Amino acid sequence: MLNKLFQIKEHESTWRKELMAGLTSFFTCSYIILVNPLILRDAGIPIEAGVISSIIISILGCLLMGLFANAPIILIPGMGINAFFSYTMVQSMGLSPQQGLAVIMVSGLVFAVIAFTSLSTKLISAVPSSLKHGITSGIGVYLTFIGLQKGELIRANPSTLVEVGNLASPVALATIIGLMVTLILFARNVKGSLLIGLLSTACLTIISGTHSALSSEGISIAAYKTIFLSGQFSFITIPFWIATFSITMIVLFENVGLLSGMLPDVSKFPKALRITAISTILSGIVGTSPTVASAESAAGIAEGGKTGIPALVTAILFLACIPLLPYVGYIPENAVAPILILIGALMMRSLAEISFNDFTEWVPAFLMVVCIPLTSSIAEGIAFGFIFYPIMKLAVGKWKDVSVILYVCAALFLCNLFALPLFTH
């Protein structure tokens, strides 16, 4: 029955590959259980409630993706979007957490209208190949940048913004050795190389004695009741609609970019996009910031995942984490660094698909590649590419090469970039 549901043979895969991909995906994205609640706390959501909502939506999103889209995509609360929710929508725009959750539900409904109609296919066909590959490559650089930070191979510098970390520190050394192990095993096509690299890095870090476990502040059903189904719809206020427009742009184009860049089988795109839209609506109901097709899904895909089994395995492991929450924090943060660096490198291969003979094609893609990591925002990085693509085409008289939909998207991105600061403080 399961073979028929997931069509493993048709995908030229095996249960071993799919299960290993699921384990790798989970360990790569499990940090969200602790990190997301900490960010939501700054929006006024109790951390105990944030832990529950983060786990519930991750389980629901992964189950839906695995069972109905049969895709190896992991849906978890998006990093960057959670910061937008807490620091822009709530702290800067003055929305209450409950109003913010209502915004997420409304934006999810708009997203669903696009995903469940022909608008989604028209949108995808309107985006030129160079921009699609630019998104993939930009996300790759972003993942590598995050991996280097988590591995303490680079660190912040007030003068130059970033500098080389202390490579003699135990954490950095563990990361470097773990990266070597991961790259060597992957180059030799060893099954489970990413998971072995992750566990190797984790063990070395723990043995060094420098790792102190993170810990959540527990589970509280009483606290969770304060955010479950607590959305307050303020339809007559301008900030509510500005926030709705902004969050819709973010979830729509970030998911479009991530799915088009990661899905092994592009024919699964329509179903996967619909599931992400449904998961966005559920995020507001459950009480958390929107989910996205996690960039860390690429780790499971690189491990050989082609079906929905990795998503299903991840959902089961998120469920198993509930009684084990006090121990989840023992996984060192730098353990995922080698995987993120390798996945970033693999995603950079998309640059080879961009035509560097046409200045108007590769420059907008280049802007995406640099702006996604440097702004720490996939959505804003995408915006630069979408805005400058039609500008470049207009400059050389090739305005007919740009679809009407792309002109509209560029205008919307431009309006969002300039309008948002007017309603923040």
Side-chain angles (χ1 to χ4, degrees):
M1 180 179 176
L2 289 176
N3 283 319
K4 185 177 180 181
L5 176 63
F6 294 109
Q7 301 176 323
I8 295 176
K9 290 183 179 179
E10 289 83 346
H11 287 84
E12 298 180 349
S13 186
T14 64
W15 274 98
R16 178 184 172 82
K17 283 184 181 179
E18 299 297 323
L19 293 174
M20 192 65 71
L23 286 171
T24 302
S25 295
F26 170 75
F27 280 112
T28 308
C29 68
S30 59
Y31 67 88
I32 204 69
I33 297 174
L34 300 175
V35 175
N36 196 55
L38 292 174
I39 294 176
L40 294 180
R41 179 175 61 180
D42 293 336
I45 293 177
I47 193 167
E48 301 95 330
V51 169
I52 298 177
S53 63
S54 298
I55 292 177
I56 290 176
I57 196 59
S58 298
I59 293 171
L60 292 175
C62 290
L63 281 177
L64 290 171
M65 184 62 74
L67 295 175
F68 295 101
N70 196 22
I73 299 296
I74 309 305
L75 291 180
I76 59 173
M79 294 298 294
I81 298 182
N82 51 12
F84 182 86
F85 175 84
S86 293
Y87 307 124
T88 300
M89 288 171 55
V90 176
Q91 292 190 9
S92 295
M93 300 182 73
L95 297 177
S96 68
Q98 289 73 25
Q99 288 173 321
L101 294 174
V103 164
I104 292 169
M105 283 187 270
V106 174
S107 66
L109 287 170
V110 176
F111 185 9
V113 169
I114 296 172
F116 280 87
T117 62
S118 60
L119 287 174
S120 61
T121 54
K122 290 179 180 178
L123 178 63
I124 294 304
S125 61
V127 179
S129 174
S130 60
L131 292 188
K132 292 177 182 176
H133 292 302
I135 293 170
T136 303
S137 301
I139 294 171
V141 178
Y142 187 36
L143 287 179
T144 299
F145 185 59
I146 294 172
L148 292 171
Q149 291 180 73
K150 288 182 178 294
E152 297 188 8
L153 302 183
I154 60 174
R155 61 189 177 191
N157 181 294
S159 300
T160 61
L161 299 182
V162 67
E163 66 178 7
V164 176
N166 178 11
L167 300 185
S169 70
V171 172
L173 285 173
T175 301
I176 293 171
I177 296 172
L179 179 60
M180 289 180 182
V181 170
T182 305
L183 293 178
I184 291 171
L185 294 178
F186 189 85
R188 295 182 64 85
N189 294 317
V190 175
K191 302 301 181 185
S193 56
L194 299 184
L195 185 58
I196 294 171
L198 184 149
L199 295 175
S200 299
T201 309
C203 290
L204 288 170
T205 306
I206 293 171
I207 291 172
S208 70
T210 58
H211 174 59
S212 58
L214 296 171
S215 62
S216 68
E217 295 183 19
I219 294 283
S220 172
I221 300 300
Y224 181 61
K225 287 180 179 178
T226 63
I227 63 167
F228 178 68
L229 274 176
S230 65
Q232 295 178 358
F233 298 89
S234 304
F235 292 131
I236 60 173
T237 62
I238 294 178
F240 182 90
W241 288 110
I242 292 292
T244 300
F245 174 74
S246 299
I247 206 78
T248 302
M249 294 285 287
I250 293 172
V251 296
L252 174 61
F253 285 99
E254 183 159 341
N255 281 301
V256 166
L258 286 162
L259 290 173
S260 61
M262 292 189 300
L263 274 173
D265 183 355
V266 292
S267 66
K268 294 182 179 182
F269 181 90
K271 283 186 177 180
L273 189 67
R274 291 166 191 162
I275 295 300
T276 58
I278 293 172
S279 185
T280 299
I281 299 171
L282 292 174
S283 298
I285 294 173
V286 168
T288 183
S289 53
T291 54
V292 297
S294 167
E296 288 84 0
S297 302
I301 294 170
E303 198 64 78
K306 296 180 180 179
T307 72
I309 294 174
L312 187 63
V313 170
T314 302
I316 293 171
L317 291 175
F318 269 119
L319 180 63
C321 276
I322 294 177
L324 299 175
L325 271 176
Y327 306 101
V328 173
Y330 280 99
I331 301 173
E333 189 175 18
N334 69 309
V336 300
I339 294 180
L340 295 178
I341 294 170
L342 172 57
I343 297 306
L346 294 175
M347 295 180 76
M348 283 294 289
R349 291 181 298 184
S350 283
L351 285 177
E353 305 297 325
I354 299 174
S355 173
F356 283 91
N357 295 321
D358 188 340
F359 188 76
T360 63
E361 290 288 334
W362 69 262
V363 167
F366 162 77
L367 289 174
M368 284 182 168
V369 173
V370 296
C371 288
I372 287 175
L374 294 181
T375 61
S376 294
S377 170
I378 295 173
E380 291 183 9
I382 290 174
F384 281 96
F386 270 72
I387 291 169
F388 277 93
Y389 187 87
I391 290 175
M392 298 298 294
K393 292 296 183 181
L394 284 168
V396 297
K398 295 182 178 179
W399 58 274
K400 290 184 179 180
D401 292 352
V402 183
S403 67
V404 174
I405 293 177
L406 195 60
Y407 279 119
V408 172
C409 290
L412 291 174
F413 271 120
L414 194 62
C415 289
N416 187 57
L417 288 177
F418 284 100
L420 191 60
L422 297 176
F423 294 90
T424 58
H425 54 79

